[in-house]
Amino acid sequence: MQSMFGSVESVAVNGTEFCPLLTWDSKITTVQAMCGGSGPHLRDVLVAEGHYGRFVSVLNREWSLVFGSGPLRGEDVPIALPTAKVPKDTLRDFANCPSN
């Protein structure tokens, strides 16, 4: 959810309130993406320590054990949009509420 503080954790299960808790885990994905992700940093460390080849080998082995080597089943199926509705007319205006 978005608020005056950026991303926030979630919405109440009954749809009546936004979660008032701001945590790093609700922001880290956006920040990581804006910074280019962690992949390049991880690769650089693995290469520097001589572990990159082994990492890629294990990753490819484990991936193929689960998913095989062909196309993923369902890869051609379009993403299903959610059908549940959050009752927007009953929510307080969280983005403009006072922080008392």
Side-chain angles (χ1 to χ4, degrees), residues 16-31:
T16 61
E17 299 286 333
F18 286 98
C19 182
L21 180 65
L22 298 175
T23 60
W24 181 241
D25 64 321
S26 69
K27 299 186 176 308
I28 186 64
T29 305
T30 303
V31 173

Side-chain angles (χ1 to χ4, degrees), residues 8-81:
V8 294
E9 193 67 23
S10 58
V11 66
V13 76
N14 64 1
T16 61
E17 299 286 333
F18 286 98
C19 182
L21 180 65
L22 298 175
T23 60
W24 181 241
D25 64 321
S26 69
K27 299 186 176 308
I28 186 64
T29 305
T30 303
V31 173
Q32 279 289 93
M34 289 168 51
C35 294
S38 61
H41 305 293
L42 176 61
R43 183 195 61 237
D44 291 347
V45 171
L46 289 171
V47 167
E49 296 183 359
H51 300 297
Y52 185 70
R54 172 91 170 117
F55 173 79
V56 171
S57 173
V58 169
L59 186 65
N60 287 334
R61 182 192 71 220
E62 296 300 314
W63 175 272
S64 66
L65 287 173
V66 175
F67 300 109
S69 60
L72 292 175
R73 196 173 112 220
E75 197 172 12
D76 59 331
V77 177
I79 295 175
L81 296 174

